[in-house]
Amino acid sequence: MGNTATGPGPRPGTGAGAGADPGLYGPASVTWQCHGDPMMWIAGVRALYLQALHPRAVRGVMENSDFRRDAWGRLLRTADFVGTLTYGTTEAAERAGGRVRAIHRRLSATDPATGRTFPVDDPELLLWIHCAQIDSFLHVLRRSGLALTPAQADRYVDENRVNARLVGLDPAGVPADTAQLTAYFEKVRPELAAGPDALAVDDFLRGPPVHPLLVPGRNLLWRPLAGLAYGSLPGWAHQLYGRPAPAPRSVTRRLRLTGRVLRSIPAGLRWKLPPGHILKAMRRMGPGSRPSPYTLRTSAAILDRPGRA
């Protein structure tokens, strides 16, 4: 795979105005087409579950934020960051990355195993957060029915080394395809554990505090989705957390059903929710830049023809 650290650029024929800035990814990227999918929210919760299994990474979160009081804010800020990087202008994406790097540069935490202080922007920890996020996004989208070819999945991993650069990593040291991503998890697994911090995250995600009047809604809507995110974790993660998950086939069926239901909501309606990154990008780039599974299928048909990349 080639290095896409500068972004894949605009796709001809998208209707973009002269000089329109496609941002760091652009409509030609797999990432642009994927990140408008509503299953990204469940994928984000899966990423939180996975990220919490690295004792030092989750300790950095716990010591530098009031996780229980601000977990919703943290999730929304992460979604806003991903949306800005994917659909924002180059300037907006670089500025967002600069803010994150500046914040992390000032923070430190205490290693729960050794008691030593470590910087939050330790490249090893940044790499774990990045890989857990990208793996979760890709896994949930594909398992819920978004048809990506193996080549497109590899492109997605490669493209998101742009994301890694913006949080302070050298893209050359970040997995560039799905095989490298799998190898990374095999390498890091001995360092993972479900310590007190991870169990606190698990406890929160299973029953986040809400106003008493909202408890029935939380139990009806949130708990099944959080349970689905947990169920989609790899088996070794369930073993670390120490609680079972439904059978993989059951999880896959539920993911596909949930994907069908959420994708049946008109995209234009979903995308009107703040902060509206996708609609802003479409106004900037033209209607042909609309993220769509159809675009992915068409792109796959072109790329997978004999003699093509």
Side-chain angles (χ1 to χ4, degrees):
M1 300 295 295
N3 190 336
T4 57
T6 57
R11 181 182 61 216
T14 60
D21 178 10
L24 296 178
Y25 290 91
S29 69
V30 175
T31 300
W32 181 285
Q33 305 302 329
C34 284
H35 282 186
D37 193 275
M39 292 297 287
M40 285 285 288
W41 288 101
I42 293 178
V45 176
R46 182 191 190 266
L48 291 177
Y49 270 119
L50 199 54
Q51 289 165 347
L53 289 174
H54 195 298
R56 286 199 301 149
V58 71
R59 177 91 308 246
V61 173
M62 294 299 191
E63 286 193 16
N64 290 285
S65 66
D66 192 341
F67 179 80
R68 287 187 174 276
R69 288 177 179 267
D70 192 38
W72 295 116
R74 184 179 181 84
L75 186 62
L76 290 173
R77 286 193 296 274
T78 299
D80 182 47
F81 181 69
V82 172
T84 300
L85 265 56
T86 307
Y87 299 110
T89 62
T90 302
E91 179 184 1
E94 295 285 356
R95 187 167 59 243
R99 284 196 299 268
V100 167
R101 294 194 303 275
I103 291 171
H104 287 171
R105 197 177 300 124
R106 299 193 299 265
L107 302 179
S108 61
T110 305
D111 190 321
T114 67
R116 296 175 181 172
T117 300
F118 64 89
V120 168
D121 63 354
D122 180 339
E124 177 185 331
L125 304 184
L126 295 178
L127 182 60
W128 166 253
I129 295 297
H130 170 82
C131 290
Q133 184 180 74
I134 296 307
D135 178 77
S136 292
F137 290 172
L138 186 58
H139 180 88
V140 169
L141 291 174
R142 298 183 84 186
R143 196 171 175 185
S144 65
L146 192 67
L148 292 177
T149 66
Q152 287 176 323
D154 284 339
R155 278 184 58 192
Y156 178 82
V157 176
D158 186 39
E159 288 169 0
N160 278 280
R161 291 193 289 164
V162 174
N163 180 324
R165 174 181 66 79
L166 287 180
V167 298
L169 288 166
D170 179 357
V174 177
D177 57 33
T178 53
Q180 291 182 18
L181 190 61
T182 298
Y184 168 78
F185 280 105
E186 289 297 322
K187 177 183 177 181
V188 79
R189 272 179 58 182
E191 303 174 32
L192 307 180
D197 290 334
L199 296 179
V201 172
D202 181 29
D203 181 64
F204 175 87
L205 291 175
R206 294 168 72 181
V210 295
H211 189 280
L213 294 177
L214 298 178
V215 169
R218 179 197 66 184
N219 295 342
L220 179 65
L221 299 175
W222 173 261
R223 281 188 172 173
L225 295 181
L228 191 53
Y230 177 82
S232 69
L233 290 168
W236 54 261
H238 299 146
Q239 293 174 3
L240 289 176
Y241 273 113
R243 62 185 182 93
R249 286 186 179 181
S250 173
V251 173
T252 300
R253 285 196 299 269
R254 289 170 56 198
L255 281 168
R256 287 183 174 271
L257 176 61
T258 303
R260 285 197 296 271
V261 170
L262 293 181
R263 290 165 187 145
S264 70
I265 302 172
L269 180 62
R270 290 189 275 106
W271 294 340
K272 286 183 179 178
L273 295 174
H277 291 297
I278 297 175
L279 293 180
K280 292 175 184 176
M282 288 173 59
R283 286 195 291 269
R284 185 176 80 248
M285 297 298 298
S289 64
R290 177 187 178 93
S292 167
Y294 173 78
T295 302
L296 287 170
R297 290 194 296 271
T298 303
S299 174
I302 294 172
L303 288 171
D304 293 343
R305 278 189 298 176
R308 300 301 295 264

